[in-house]
Amino acid sequence: MYTNITTSQNQGITNITINRPSKLNALNKETIQELHAALRVAELDADTKVIIITGSGEKAFVAGADISEFADFSVAEGGKLAAKGQELLFDYVANLSTPVIAAVNGFALGGGLELAMAAHFRIASDNAKMGLPEVSLGVIPGYGGTQRLPQLVGKGRAMEMIMTAGMIDANQALQYGLVNHVTTLEELLPLAEKIASKIMRNSSVAIGAAIKSVNASFEDGVNGFKTEIEQFGNCFGTEDFKEGTSAFLEKRKAEFPGK
């Protein structure tokens, strides 16, 4: 079905693996298209409660964009490349109502780090290296990197990382707040799945509302508090709310219908 990615679904978790090991899983046009399609399938699948994105092999999550595809682009083509990529993949991931965890194994550079930052949060293996090297090629991050990196690590650190085009290791990423956890390569997916299982105990409808509310505070001209009030109110009309509150009052485990 896919050329550059593999997917599997097990016990509420959809795993999406970028699988171009010979290119260190670099993002080309086709891979972005396939990721969009796989994410859409997972978002529409009622059995998928959490999505985990990772890279194949031990060396790379995604080592960047496939530069050979756009080295001869014009100004207009460059702008279109960034706009289309953000719409199809990076903004799409950030705004999914299904939680997306990036399990960063090895290099996450350029578009790879931008993909990880678009996920709702990140965990990393101890061999991970992260950076936005675009200025060393005479260009800037175009898939949301200049916006999401400062939101995650602060303006000063983001400016330094972008201007130096340097890489940081997993422990520095943890210290910066860029990743939530660092573990061994062997334990990376098991840890992602353990966190996913904790998420799955809760109401998927409420989680979707929480994602929308948190994201609202990072949108220009949107009052995040107002969005929170609306989403909070909407929760009262859901079957999950009725089940969650009944279960609490009856001192039993909630069985959320996801509606």
Side-chain angles (χ1 to χ4, degrees):
M1 187 181 175
Y2 299 113
T3 308
N4 299 328
I5 67 172
T6 61
T7 66
S8 63
Q9 207 262 19
N10 186 34
Q11 295 183 316
I13 301 170
T14 290
N15 277 294
I16 300 175
T17 304
I18 298 139
N19 188 31
R20 299 183 77 210
S22 64
K23 300 279 186 187
L24 291 178
N25 303 327
L27 289 179
N28 61 356
K29 197 173 169 184
E30 187 182 25
T31 307
I32 287 173
Q33 219 42 80
E34 289 188 359
L35 282 166
H36 174 81
L39 287 157
R40 184 172 161 75
V41 168
E43 172 81 341
L44 296 173
D45 174 21
D47 293 331
T48 295
K49 303 299 181 192
V50 180
I51 299 165
I52 297 171
I53 300 179
T54 195
S56 66
E58 300 182 355
K59 289 182 180 172
F61 173 72
V62 171
D66 203 328
I67 293 152
S68 61
E69 275 197 339
F70 56 79
D72 58 353
F73 272 19
S74 67
V75 170
E77 287 170 321
K80 193 176 169 189
L81 177 77
K84 194 73 181 158
Q86 288 191 28
E87 179 195 342
L88 268 183
L89 184 58
F90 301 86
D91 288 349
Y92 189 74
V93 168
N95 293 307
L96 286 178
S97 62
T98 307
V100 182
I101 304 171
V104 180
N105 54 317
F107 292 110
L109 304 175
L113 181 55
E114 288 172 304
L115 176 58
M117 290 192 294
H120 298 124
F121 60 92
R122 294 140 293 287
I123 66 173
S125 57
D126 49 22
N127 71 324
K129 295 267 196 305
M130 292 164 234
L132 295 175
E134 285 85 348
V135 297
S136 69
L137 301 170
V139 70
I140 67 166
Y143 288 145
T146 65
Q147 305 305 298
R148 291 194 176 97
L149 189 61
Q151 289 168 4
L152 290 163
V153 307
K155 185 179 174 183
R157 282 173 171 157
M159 286 285 202
E160 183 183 353
M161 283 179 69
I162 291 166
M163 288 178 191
T164 61
M167 290 187 285
I168 61 171
D169 64 20
N171 287 322
Q172 204 167 357
L174 181 66
Q175 185 193 332
Y176 278 13
L178 185 52
V179 301
N180 291 18
H181 306 277
V182 174
T183 186
T184 62
L185 197 55
E186 296 73 33
E187 284 299 310
L188 184 65
L189 282 179
L191 177 60
E193 284 160 10
K194 185 181 174 186
I195 296 168
S197 70
K198 289 181 181 176
I199 291 171
M200 287 190 288
R201 291 176 204 157
N202 305 310
S203 160
S204 57
V205 180
I207 285 168
I211 290 169
K212 194 172 275 190
S213 301
V214 172
N215 282 346
S217 70
F218 294 102
E219 289 175 37
D220 278 345
V222 175
N223 183 328
F225 289 99
K226 193 177 173 195
T227 302
E228 182 186 275
I229 290 163
E230 285 167 10
Q231 293 300 319
F232 179 79
N234 290 346
C235 288
F236 282 72
T238 66
E239 289 178 35
D240 276 12
F241 175 75
K242 291 182 182 70
E243 168 58 15
T245 49
S246 300
F248 178 81
L249 295 169
E250 292 161 18
K251 296 183 170 57
R252 61 177 173 82
K253 188 176 178 290
E255 297 291 339
F256 291 110
K259 293 175 184 171

